[in-house]
Amino acid sequence: MSEKIVSNEPLPLANDDDFTADDFTFVQENEKLIDKSYANTSYLRDVWVSFTKNKGAVFGFIIICIIVLFAIFGPMFSGHEYDAIVNAHQNLPPKIPLLSNLGIFNGTENGVDVYAERGVDIMYWFGTDANGRDLFTRVWQGTRISLLIALVAVAIDIFIGMTYGLISGYFGGKVDMIMQRIAEILNGIPTLVVVTLLGLVLPRGIWSIIFALMITGWIGMQRIARAEVLKLKESEYILASRTLGASDFSIIFKDIMPNIFGQLIIMSMFSIPNAIFTEAFLSFVGLGIAAPEASLGSLISDGYKALTIHPFQIASAVIVLGLLMLSFNLFADGLRDAFDPSQKH
């Protein structure tokens, strides 16, 4: 049996001459570890970068811009008035230059060239309705109404809903209880009932819709504003302002509101599709915009009557309304994720 010999002598120390430069190499070949310095960027720059990375939000923003441009300039360059009635041009199908040469949108319906049959030498891009009015002009004229309703909805959210929620959440107690009970009562009244009652004292049109939004359209925003105030009103900087003698309304509008204004603006973007749909629905059931004025809802209502005979009369308004609501939803969702990354899903 062999014996294991153990030596108590210390191992010799290594000298610098025992190593060469080739004995040490980087883990990744031919690559040196260099510290990187990143340029200091502003908060808005970070928001913009985050927003542009959201392809859906960018798509929504582009579509909104295109629709806004068509709504502004479309009726000007169409060559037709939105309320001009031409009996000889009733129910003409869409006919678009260049595309008609490809066999699509060439003015034919059920295999018949309607333009040639009637001797019409004018092209209607979206066709005409039962009264011979140009649908292209009427669709973009109606889009103006929808965009106006969207702007009004944002203004109502900011000036009424936000102010109401800030005051209710800040003062709390009996003030909060009374204000929230009032909001719940108003929220319990259906918008359709409100518009119907307003129709008894106001003529049908955009003003009745605006008043309906002023009565019930701000309820959701005030809840969000109230919740944000409840979280912030006990913060150290609020207590410091109160200790230094700042008034309640000064604290509300100078200390609290700037810290939640961005989030409230984003949430107001989500109210735009709802307001546009409300206008379209009310016009569809006959409580909104009255003829000869045009809105997307009234155009859909008129086109629905001829859906089985002339489906093109409803198609353009439905497509524009769908794109408008989808784009605002995508845009608002992208803004929310860009301003508050913690809410990404």
Side-chain angles (χ1 to χ4, degrees):
M1 177 182 288
S2 61
E3 294 184 1
K4 187 175 181 180
I5 301 175
V6 179
S7 175
N8 293 325
E9 295 182 3
L11 295 174
L13 297 175
N15 299 320
D16 293 339
D17 297 337
D18 295 337
F19 302 101
T20 63
D22 297 333
D23 292 334
F24 300 94
T25 59
F26 287 100
V27 175
Q28 297 179 354
E29 235 179 84
N30 299 326
E31 187 174 327
K32 294 184 178 180
L33 301 177
I34 302 175
D35 292 336
K36 295 182 179 180
S37 59
Y38 296 91
N40 186 24
T41 58
S42 64
Y43 173 68
L44 291 179
R45 173 67 179 175
D46 292 337
V47 168
W48 172 251
V49 172
S50 178
F51 178 81
T52 53
K53 289 181 179 178
N54 190 327
K55 304 303 180 184
V58 174
F59 171 78
F61 178 71
I62 293 174
I63 295 298
I64 290 172
C65 292
I66 293 174
I67 291 177
V68 169
L69 289 175
F70 270 102
I72 295 173
F73 299 108
M76 298 180 184
F77 297 104
S78 65
H80 304 280
E81 297 294 331
Y82 73 92
D83 56 352
I85 297 177
V86 184
N87 292 324
H89 295 174
Q90 295 177 350
N91 300 319
L92 289 175
K95 188 172 185 179
I96 302 176
L98 300 179
L99 293 180
S100 60
N101 298 330
L102 302 177
I104 56 176
F105 298 109
N106 54 4
T108 61
E109 187 176 31
N110 298 324
V112 179
D113 190 343
V114 182
Y115 286 77
E117 185 181 51
R118 299 188 189 179
V120 178
D121 58 354
I122 299 176
M123 293 188 179
Y124 293 97
W125 286 22
F126 290 173
T128 61
D129 62 7
N131 294 313
R133 295 174 295 198
D134 178 33
L135 285 177
F136 181 85
T137 306
R138 289 181 65 78
V139 164
W140 298 121
Q141 182 71 21
T143 305
R144 289 181 178 181
I145 300 296
S146 296
L147 293 174
L148 177 60
I149 292 293
L151 292 177
V152 170
V154 172
I156 290 173
D157 271 351
I158 293 175
F159 291 106
I160 299 180
M162 184 177 65
T163 303
Y164 194 95
L166 287 172
I167 295 174
S168 177
Y170 179 81
F171 288 102
K174 292 183 178 180
V175 175
D176 182 48
M177 183 185 68
I178 294 173
M179 295 182 71
Q180 291 307 306
R181 296 301 81 76
I182 294 174
E184 289 175 4
I185 292 172
L186 293 176
N187 191 43
I189 304 175
T191 304
L192 186 61
V193 175
V194 174
V195 176
T196 304
L197 294 176
L198 288 174
L200 299 176
V201 295
L202 294 174
R204 278 180 55 192
I206 190 171
W207 285 110
S208 61
I209 299 175
I210 291 175
F211 273 105
L213 292 174
M214 290 178 65
I215 293 174
T216 61
W218 49 270
I219 304 296
M221 176 57 69
Q222 72 89 19
R223 288 176 178 170
I224 297 172
R226 175 178 175 270
E228 292 297 323
V229 173
L230 291 176
K231 290 192 301 183
L232 293 178
K233 72 176 185 177
E234 299 300 333
S235 300
E236 289 80 359
Y237 71 95
I238 301 298
L239 295 176
S241 297
R242 190 180 294 118
T243 303
L244 292 173
S247 64
D248 291 329
F249 285 97
S250 175
I251 294 174
I252 291 174
F253 293 105
K254 291 185 178 180
D255 294 330
I256 296 179
M257 190 180 72
N259 287 282
I260 64 174
F261 189 74
Q263 184 175 354
L264 295 181
I265 287 293
I266 295 168
M267 296 309 299
S268 68
M269 292 292 105
F270 285 100
S271 67
I272 291 179
N274 184 48
I276 293 175
F277 178 78
T278 299
E279 181 278 322
F281 169 74
L282 293 174
S283 298
F284 181 81
V285 299
L287 296 175
I289 306 300
E293 295 290 334
S295 75
L296 294 178
S298 62
L299 291 173
I300 293 173
S301 178
D302 294 339
Y304 180 75
K305 300 173 184 176
L307 178 62
T308 57
I309 305 173
H310 306 294
F312 64 87
Q313 292 185 3
I314 195 176
S316 55
V318 168
I319 292 173
V320 172
L321 178 62
L323 285 175
L324 198 58
M325 294 182 63
L326 175 63
S327 300
F328 271 112
N329 272 313
L330 291 174
F331 177 66
D333 190 66
L335 279 181
R336 182 191 60 190
D337 292 345
F339 278 96
D340 190 1
S342 64
Q343 293 191 20
K344 287 186 179 181
H345 51 77

